[in-house]
Amino acid sequence: GENVEQHPSTLSVQEGDSAVIKCTYSDSASNYFPWYKQELGKGPQLIIDIRSNVGEKKDQRIAVTLNKTAKHFSLHITETQPEDSAVYFCAASIPTDSWGKLQFGAGTQVVVTP
Amino acid sequence: GAVVSQHPSRVICKSGTSVKIECRSLDFQATTMFWYRQFPKQSLMLMATSNEGSKATYEQGVEKDKFLINHASLTLSTLTVTSAHPEDSSFYICSAQPSGSRQETQYFGPGTRLLVL
């Protein structure tokens, strides 16, 4: 089955700097890769997603890149702000599942210090 | 758009009682909803896939008689934790997929904190 690895587990950055989180997946047939932001005590919020027919997608300060050959995708946050502090999860679709299940990474705790 | 609600947000119950958690898609219809469990500082663990009008599909190791799921309409799925015990204490989160959209997109609810005494 699909396996998603996410690194780093924790990331501390100074306000204004960039943050990069990387994920790898195992099933080359996966074709959908969302990123979620989860604040303490809340449910995950979809912040950006990318499909396998696209190599890069950007939404303001957030961008995601996908390398299908290497089977890895990354989240880039530029000009970080304290409100970006949260746990970020990557996920990959499970090709063999007809209901659209996702396989999640272990999460990255991002701390943005003023 | 794509708002999912959960009720209650937190619940405390005595061991042996049953607890029902509701998951609603507020501004879209969802043929498929998912139920997750999350322990502190851990990732999301899928418990079951809930499909409107049919039986839920449970992940390996999840007891279907303990975690009853009902998806009676296109906007509501319920999870009932039967005969709850302290080890069932956790953060339960649902997600919903808009019907007719790209199948994989999931929007999450705010979660329900369950504490069993």
Side-chain angles (χ1 to χ4, degrees), chain B residues 23 30 33 50-54 69-78:
Chain B
C23 177
M33 292 183 175
S50 169
N51 294 293
E52 187 265 338
S54 63
I69 291 172
N70 188 330
H71 193 154
S73 77
L74 288 174
T75 59
L76 173 64
S77 176
T78 60

Side-chain angles (χ1 to χ4, degrees), chain B residues 21-79:
Chain B
I21 302 170
E22 291 186 349
C23 177
R24 293 182 185 272
S25 55
L26 299 185
D27 52 1
F28 63 96
Q29 293 184 330
T31 305
T32 303
M33 292 183 175
F34 299 90
W35 287 96
Y36 294 83
R37 187 173 179 177
Q38 187 178 37
F39 292 105
K41 299 187 183 299
Q42 292 191 20
S43 188
L44 301 158
M45 184 186 78
L46 180 65
M47 299 175 64
T49 302
S50 169
N51 294 293
E52 187 265 338
S54 63
K55 291 183 178 181
T57 303
Y58 291 82
E59 294 300 300
Q60 191 172 7
V62 178
E63 299 177 58
K64 63 179 181 179
D65 294 331
K66 173 123 182 109
F67 299 100
L68 300 178
I69 291 172
N70 188 330
H71 193 154
S73 77
L74 288 174
T75 59
L76 173 64
S77 176
T78 60
L79 169 68

Side-chain angles (χ1 to χ4, degrees), chain A residues 31-32 34 36 38 41-46 49 51 53 89 93 97-102 104-107 109, chain B residues 32 34 36 38 42-44 46 49 51 57 59 91 93 97 102-111 113:
Chain A
N31 58 11
Y32 175 67
Y36 290 89
Q38 186 177 27
K42 297 183 179 181
Q45 176 192 4
L46 178 67
D49 56 11
R51 299 187 186 276
N53 58 344
F89 291 99
S93 60
D97 182 76
S98 59
W99 300 114
K101 289 194 295 189
L102 298 172
F104 285 84
Q109 174 75 62
Chain B
T32 303
F34 299 90
Y36 294 83
Q38 187 178 37
Q42 292 191 20
S43 188
L44 301 158
L46 180 65
T49 302
N51 294 293
T57 303
E59 294 300 300
F91 193 49
I93 317 172
Q97 287 181 340
R102 295 254 193 176
Q103 191 179 23
E104 310 94 338
T105 304
Q106 293 185 29
Y107 298 96
F108 283 84
R113 179 79 57 192

Side-chain angles (χ1 to χ4, degrees), chain B residues 4-23:
Chain B
V4 178
S5 70
Q6 276 184 247
H7 178 80
S9 57
R10 57 178 61 224
V11 56
I12 301 173
C13 68
K14 293 182 179 180
S15 185
T17 61
S18 294
V19 175
K20 180 186 282 188
I21 302 170
E22 291 186 349
C23 177

